[in-house]
Amino acid sequence: MSNSARGENRRRETDEILERKPGTEAVTDLEDRYRVVGAADRETYANWLTPIEEHYVCHRNETLDPAAEEWTVSLGGAVDREAELGMEELRDDYPTVAVAHTMECAGNGRGYFDPETGSVQWEYGAASTAIWTGAPLQSILAHHGAATDEGTWLTAVGGDHPEVEGENDLFARSVPMEKVLEDCILAYEMNGESLPPEHGHPVRLLVPGWYGVNSVKWLAELHVAETMVHGPEWADRDGDDYTQWQQSSYRIHPEGVEPDSNATVSTFDTWDQLEGDEIDHPYTFDENVKSTIGRPADGATVSPREDGTLEIVGVAWAGDDEVTEIEVSTDGGDSWAEGEFFGPNYDCAWRLFRYEWEPSPDTYTLVSRATDERGRRQPMRISEPDGDADGEYPWNEGGYAENAVLPHAVEVTVE
Ligand SMILES: Nc1nc2c(c(=O)[nH]1)N[C@H]1C(S)=C(S)[C@@H](COP(=O)(O)O)O[C@H]1N2
Ligand SMILES: [Mo]
């Protein structure tokens, strides 16, 4: 396909997605390669469940919309019985489970990096929470005699292909078996409806609490092995490269670095990888602790209630760790007060928080700061490219996994 035909396709598909999601907005990519729309607006972050119409979308290749009856997921590698799993079988022969999951693109917040990085310039819009329904992978793998010992990996491959002449990278991600057995599902419904095309119809991998990239849409193949996608066998498997999206893209590294490809790693927590010695350039696995204010909206002029109070509401999450503390500042981070969590409390989904404030008329900079169960607190700002100080999130070439406080500030005027 020529570049201009591809550009036209992308715009048409993005328009179709926007028609189904009237509240959302397209976000542009410097290279104009992704189909992306961001969550509706700040109000999305004042509610626990994100309606499908407000849920962000992000993918690289064409949007598939295959007939469910004809779709199969092939299961192979270290299994006693290889299989082609059909949709009826996935629905009828396995338990049905529902999982609450805050999906966040690893590039959410990339738009705040200075200097600017390439790719989609997301600000806060690439995070959303839905209920995903499907079949537990643990049951499917047990049924087919898969080797699920510690240290093994499950690789998932999407049915989407690059549209550019000369590019041969398939969308493949490898997830450690430990996480797969814990809570991963093959999801065929989202908020009780069958998956819309742009969210991976008819079935996707769902990796609760981990960056969106791990949840492969239009799932075509599952492969059980002792390594993740790595080495010549995967870099040229019948002419296709399965390693790109695991080993090169979606790794956290300084400018100009080509990260090493690893056969396996044993540190899965993204923040542990950032702080530890095992991996030089972390993989974007579980989501870092983060929060966003949803109400009042940025730029709003607001009036307190009759009793003089005003409620600040937002969401806070920490991937598959628990978010345990939320602080709110009304002076741009100079002083902090404890907020309060309320509403639903599920593993791997954000929590609503609120803070009762008694402001006098003025203009304020509101920010929120969350801490996870292991005491890890959001850093204040993003670092310069050549090194991060304490309390800074490391600027990295791909603009991944950003969780700093100040970029998410909300300016409000109280009358
Ligand atoms: N097959 C396939 N799966 C994919 C992608 C893709 O390009 N192809 N994009 C990933 C990325 S980067 C994200 S952030 C999530 C977004 O999921 P959503 O569009 O349902 O929100 O899908 C992931 N799964
Ligand atoms: Mo993403």
Side-chain angles (χ1 to χ4, degrees), residues 61 154-160 169-175 205 213-214 216 219 221 229 234 237 241-247 249-250:
N61 304 318
L154 180 68
T155 291
V157 186
D160 49 329
D169 47 304
L170 292 193
F171 199 90
R173 290 289 299 185
S174 304
V175 181
L205 173 65
V213 64
N214 297 284
V216 175
L219 183 66
E221 183 187 352
V229 285
W234 287 102
R237 189 183 183 223
D241 175 11
Y242 289 66
T243 64
Q244 170 74 24
W245 300 101
Q246 182 82 6
Q247 300 286 6
S249 301
Y250 291 93

Side-chain angles (χ1 to χ4, degrees), residues 34 56 58-59 104-108 110 122 126 211-213 250 400:
Y34 280 84
Y56 87 91
C58 176
H59 53 271
E104 181 184 15
C105 181
N108 193 34
R110 181 189 287 131
W122 295 113
Y211 285 110
V213 64
Y250 291 93
Y400 294 124

Side-chain angles (χ1 to χ4, degrees), residues 4 21 80 94 99 147 154 187 194 252 287 309 352:
S4 64
K21 293 172 174 276
D80 291 340
Y94 296 99
V99 181
L154 180 68
S194 79
I252 302 172
E287 298 159 14
T309 63
L352 282 165

Side-chain angles (χ1 to χ4, degrees), residues 296-312:
D298 193 26
T301 299
V302 289
S303 314
R305 294 176 286 216
E306 261 179 26
D307 66 357
T309 63
L310 193 75
E311 192 181 52
I312 296 171

Side-chain angles (χ1 to χ4, degrees), residues 158-367:
D160 49 329
H161 289 260
E163 306 150 298
V164 184
E165 205 72 41
E167 288 196 6
N168 64 340
D169 47 304
L170 292 193
F171 199 90
R173 290 289 299 185
S174 304
V175 181
M177 198 57 81
E178 196 179 299
K179 174 67 176 172
V180 171
L181 298 182
E182 193 174 291
D183 57 6
C184 293
I185 65 170
L186 298 192
Y188 42 75
E189 282 176 12
M190 172 184 193
N191 293 353
E193 292 181 31
S194 79
L195 290 188
E198 59 273 16
H199 291 292
H201 177 84
V203 63
R204 78 185 298 172
L205 173 65
L206 207 274
V207 185
W210 285 32
Y211 285 110
V213 64
N214 297 284
S215 290
V216 175
K217 303 196 267 197
W218 315 290
L219 183 66
E221 183 187 352
L222 291 169
H223 187 94
V224 179
E226 286 189 350
T227 71
M228 47 182 146
V229 285
H230 160 78
E233 175 199 346
W234 287 102
D236 182 2
R237 189 183 183 223
D238 297 329
D240 288 317
D241 175 11
Y242 289 66
T243 64
Q244 170 74 24
W245 300 101
Q246 182 82 6
Q247 300 286 6
S248 301
S249 301
Y250 291 93
R251 300 280 300 277
I252 302 172
H253 60 79
E255 192 154 27
V257 169
E258 181 55 42
D260 313 329
S261 177
N262 297 297
T264 191
V265 294
S266 59
T267 309
F268 306 136
D269 184 287
T270 307
W271 201 263
D272 282 349
Q273 293 177 50
L274 271 166
E275 293 200 322
D277 298 330
E278 191 196 7
I279 303 158
D280 283 338
H281 308 119
Y283 294 85
T284 41
F285 287 161
D286 73 324
E287 298 159 14
N288 292 331
V289 62
K290 194 163 177 175
S291 62
T292 295
I293 291 170
R295 195 188 301 143
D298 193 26
T301 299
V302 289
S303 314
R305 294 176 286 216
E306 261 179 26
D307 66 357
T309 63
L310 193 75
E311 192 181 52
I312 296 171
V313 182
V315 288
W317 66 101
D320 60 14
D321 301 303
E322 200 185 333
V323 56
T324 48
E325 192 188 344
I326 185 72
E327 298 162 285
V328 174
S329 169
T330 57
D331 55 14
D334 290 340
S335 65
W336 294 93
E338 196 81 4
E340 174 194 19
F341 289 116
F342 70 105
N345 185 4
Y346 290 93
D347 293 348
C348 308
W350 62 32
R351 295 218 61 192
L352 282 165
F353 69 81
R354 69 174 152 227
Y355 173 68
E356 290 287 335
W357 179 34
E358 283 188 55
S360 39
D362 206 343
T363 296
Y364 296 90
T365 303
L366 312 182
V367 282

